[in-house]
Amino acid sequence: MKPRREHATNNAQSYMMTSSTWERRALFCQERWAKLLIDTLYHYRGSAYLLHDFVIMPDHIHVLPTPLTSLEKAVQFIKGGFSYRSKKELGSNMEIWQKGFSDHRIRDANDYALHVSYIHQNPVKERFCTSPNEYPYSSAHLGFKLDPAPQGLKPGPIETAAARLEAVPFQSSTSKPSNPDDDTSVLSDFETTSRKGQTA
């Protein structure tokens, strides 16, 4: 039997979160869109979450935060914040995010290292670059300030990335955002079950 999911409140847990754009449109291949999302991530860093790693791909993002209030609230700021700012600063009224979101709770130090490696290697795997630090919209690129790895992560068994990179559906909402506090959707492109019923 699968263990019951804990409610992701302020419990000093770190998570891997993934979100896809609506209908997998390559919105973030545009520099101004990608840079605005990075600016949004950093705007809420330190107040809503600690930011350990991220990568912005053309049609999806991966973020590894430690929420300071709750995971749901951290996602509200990231997703809703960008949706709000894209309307205000980019003049866009289109749907930004795919429905639903999922997350993976970081279990131990090895699990953390595997997910950081996945984030860094994502653009290399898709042949956007040959080395992680060459991709400008990744925390592996030089110049990005990040919060250190979470304290207290216990050593874990060495496993392959394929065995550990799995996500679990989290929470959903049916409200449509009108400001940065109203969007909670994250959709993982890991091999996982997506949670339905949330718009962004």
Side-chain angles (χ1 to χ4, degrees):
M1 179 181 295
K2 181 182 295 186
R4 180 179 296 179
R5 280 297 303 269
E6 65 193 60
H7 185 71
T9 55
N10 185 11
N11 54 10
Q13 295 285 350
S14 301
Y15 297 86
M16 173 75 153
M17 302 187 302
T18 303
S19 174
S20 298
T21 60
W22 182 256
E23 298 182 343
R24 302 293 298 220
R25 291 175 298 184
L27 299 179
F28 301 119
C29 66
Q30 302 178 60
E31 182 179 23
R32 60 177 186 159
W33 283 71
K35 286 186 173 181
L36 182 60
L37 182 51
I38 291 174
D39 190 64
T40 302
L41 285 173
Y42 276 92
H43 181 76
Y44 297 109
R45 171 184 172 236
S47 59
Y49 47 80
L50 302 180
L51 182 62
H52 305 296
D53 265 292
F54 68 88
V55 66
I56 299 175
M57 302 296 285
D59 61 358
H60 67 279
I61 64 170
H62 299 297
V63 183
L64 205 168
T66 297
L68 297 178
T69 53
S70 68
L71 177 59
E72 182 181 25
K73 196 67 175 179
V75 176
Q76 288 176 358
F77 284 119
I78 295 171
K79 302 289 293 298
F82 180 79
S83 295
Y84 177 81
R85 291 185 64 180
S86 68
K87 293 177 181 178
K88 183 178 180 180
E89 300 177 34
L90 302 178
S92 173
N93 291 315
M94 69 174 69
E95 292 281 354
I96 304 298
W97 303 108
Q98 182 62 278
K99 295 180 180 180
F101 77 84
S102 58
D103 69 275
H104 171 88
R105 181 176 63 83
I106 300 299
R107 302 185 184 102
D108 50 49
N110 290 329
D111 197 31
Y112 178 84
L114 284 169
H115 282 78
V116 169
S117 177
Y118 182 89
I119 288 173
H120 291 178
Q121 293 299 322
N122 211 192
V124 177
K125 178 183 176 182
E126 298 299 325
R127 300 182 180 179
F128 293 127
C129 56
T130 57
S131 175
N133 61 13
E134 296 174 354
Y135 191 67
Y137 312 130
S138 167
S139 54
H141 191 70
L142 296 177
F144 289 115
K145 294 182 179 180
L146 298 168
D147 293 299
Q151 298 296 314
L153 287 178
K154 297 179 180 180
I158 302 298
E159 300 182 29
T160 63
R164 298 297 294 271
L165 290 176
E166 56 182 15
V168 183
F170 182 54
Q171 300 180 23
S172 64
S173 168
T174 57
S175 61
K176 188 172 182 179
S178 59
N179 60 62
D181 295 336
D182 291 333
D183 182 12
T184 61
S185 67
V186 174
L187 175 68
S188 174
D189 67 349
F190 298 147
E191 296 178 359
T192 183
T193 303
S194 297
R195 184 173 293 271
K196 300 179 180 180
Q198 179 165 335
T199 57

